[in-house]
């Protein structure tokens, strides 16, 4: 009698892994586009990876005090031991085209970089991919922004 019970258990686990009712993430209530994502889902810690850069940067986003968007920081570790870690300010929102649009500023006054990214399908609002433009030289760099789990001390 153990064999039928084992088969039932395996079937139940497979159904649970497929999501509620065996539906995909989009069908299970995950946003299909960034426009469907509540702004609060952008709050928290993210890992930013830029093509050509060996280390990830830490992005922290929270509520913007003046509009329905986000404000935060990006911390990039120094590439060379003699270089300094940089912290830049970020502010943005989801634009009318459904793209995550963020302005970056190293000095708090002028824009040093511009982010434009699309929500990735089936990521449940936890991953964006797009292009970061360096305002100093107009170069562009692909990026991936992934939500990280909060640590216990947060």
């Amino acid at each position: 009698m153990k064999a039928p019970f084992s088969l039932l258990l395996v079937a139940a686990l497979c159904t649970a892994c497929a999501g509620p009712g065996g539906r995909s993430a989009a069908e299970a209530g995950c946003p299909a586009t960034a426009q469907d994502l509540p702004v609060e889902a952008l709050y928290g810690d993210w890992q930013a990876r830029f093509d050509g850069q060996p280390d990830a940067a830490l992005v922290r986003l929270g509520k913007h005090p003046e509009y329905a968007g986000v404000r935060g920081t990006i911390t990039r570790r120094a590439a060379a031991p003699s270089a300094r870690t940089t912290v830049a300010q970020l502010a943005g929102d989801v634009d009318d085209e459904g793209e995550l649009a963020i302005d970056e500023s190293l000095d708090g006054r002028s824009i040093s970089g511009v982010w434009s990214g699309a929500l990735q399908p089936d990521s449940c609002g936890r991953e964006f991919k797009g292009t970061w433009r360096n305002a100093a030289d107009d170069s562009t760099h692909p990026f991936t922004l992934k939500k990280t789990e909060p640590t216990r001390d947060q």
Side-chain angles (χ1 to χ4, degrees), residues 6-119:
S6 296
L7 289 174
L8 276 171
L9 181 60
V10 169
L13 286 172
C14 288
T15 301
C17 290
R23 298 176 299 182
S24 72
E27 295 172 286
C30 289
T33 70
Q35 288 174 318
D36 299 331
L37 192 66
V39 70
E40 295 83 10
L42 298 174
Y43 301 168
D45 289 350
W46 298 77
Q47 182 184 69
R49 291 203 169 272
F50 299 88
D51 279 8
Q53 298 296 316
D55 292 329
L58 171 65
V59 172
R60 285 207 163 131
L61 298 175
K63 181 178 179 173
H64 196 288
E66 297 171 11
Y67 62 89
V70 293
R71 185 160 75 178
T73 59
I74 179 169
T75 304
R76 291 180 175 94
R77 286 187 288 200
S82 61
R84 293 184 353 190
T85 296
T86 61
V87 179
Q89 296 174 33
L90 302 174
D93 59 13
V94 174
D95 67 20
D96 293 338
E97 287 79 41
E99 296 278 312
L100 177 64
I102 296 178
D103 291 335
E104 180 177 331
S105 177
L106 284 167
D107 63 9
R109 292 183 302 275
S110 59
I111 294 175
S112 56
V114 177
W115 303 56
S116 179
L119 179 65

Side-chain angles (χ1 to χ4, degrees), residues 137-149:
D137 61 11
D138 240 7
S139 62
T140 58
H141 308 273
F143 74 84
T144 300
L145 188 63
K146 287 186 179 180
K147 190 97 180 244
T148 59
E149 296 301 320

